[in-house]
């Protein structure tokens, strides 16, 4: 993942995907393989603080695999996992400049809010997503 995420995004994003997410949330995360290797991944977890919530932290789909439904499939598998653990809502966030992510989440039935000023500290404005299960 570390080797491809900046290229897939076209900008530096690796800092948003520290190893600790893979070390601690691998049971609730997934990787999709394609004919040329990794085609996509989803890093998510069941909130330890909010018993009815699950959270999708980071999702990536190879540019070569986009438009074929892989992102939707990864999300749907995560929804099944979250429901199996009695979660009732899935949340996520993104940068306001990530228009493709905002449009994708709308298509997936998420409520989109924001950008919320200073969401992640001074000057760190983010868009939030929430979807009931």
């Amino acid at each position: 993942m570390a080797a491809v995420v900046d290229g897939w995004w076209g900008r530096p994003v690796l800092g948003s995907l520290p190893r600790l997410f893979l070390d601690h949330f691998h049971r609730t995360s997934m990787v999709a393989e394609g004919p040329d290797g990794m085609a996509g991944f989803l890093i998510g977890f069941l909130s330890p603080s909010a018993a009815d919530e699950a959270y999708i932290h980071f999702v990536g789909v190879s540019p070569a695999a986009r438009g074929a439904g892989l992102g939707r499939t990864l999300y749907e598998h995560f929804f099944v996992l979250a429901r199996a653990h009695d979660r009732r809502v899935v949340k996520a966030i993104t940068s306001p400049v990530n228009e493709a992510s905002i449009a994708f989440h709308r298509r997936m039935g998420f409520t989109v809010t924001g950008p919320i000023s200073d969401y992640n500290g001074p000057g760190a404005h983010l868009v939030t997503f929430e979807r009931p299960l």
Side-chain angles (χ1 to χ4, degrees):
M1 289 177 203
V4 301
V5 294
D6 287 348
W8 286 7
W9 264 257
R11 60 187 169 91
V13 296
L14 180 57
S16 297
L17 187 60
R19 179 181 169 152
L20 71 92
F21 281 94
L22 301 171
D23 288 345
H24 295 282
F25 303 123
H26 60 270
R27 291 188 180 133
T28 54
S29 300
M30 51 203 75
V31 173
E33 295 290 335
D36 298 322
M38 184 174 59
F41 63 89
L42 181 149
I43 308 299
F45 59 90
L46 306 172
S47 174
S49 300
D52 66 336
E53 293 181 12
Y55 185 81
I56 296 174
H57 173 67
F58 209 99
V59 180
V61 175
S62 163
R66 292 181 188 158
L70 180 56
R72 174 177 289 279
T73 298
L74 289 167
Y75 270 67
E76 288 171 351
H77 283 300
F78 186 77
F79 295 160
V80 168
L81 182 148
R83 281 188 204 102
H85 288 88
D86 299 320
R87 304 307 163 121
R88 298 185 191 334
V89 65
V90 173
K91 294 183 176 183
I93 59 173
T94 197
S95 166
V97 301
N98 195 339
E99 295 175 7
S101 175
I102 295 167
F104 173 80
H105 283 85
R106 280 195 173 109
R107 289 192 306 274
M108 291 296 297
F110 283 82
T111 299
V112 178
T113 305
I116 298 172
S117 296
D118 303 328
Y119 179 91
N120 207 28
H125 315 309
L126 294 173
V127 173
T128 65
F129 305 117
E130 184 171 323
R131 183 186 189 274
L133 295 176

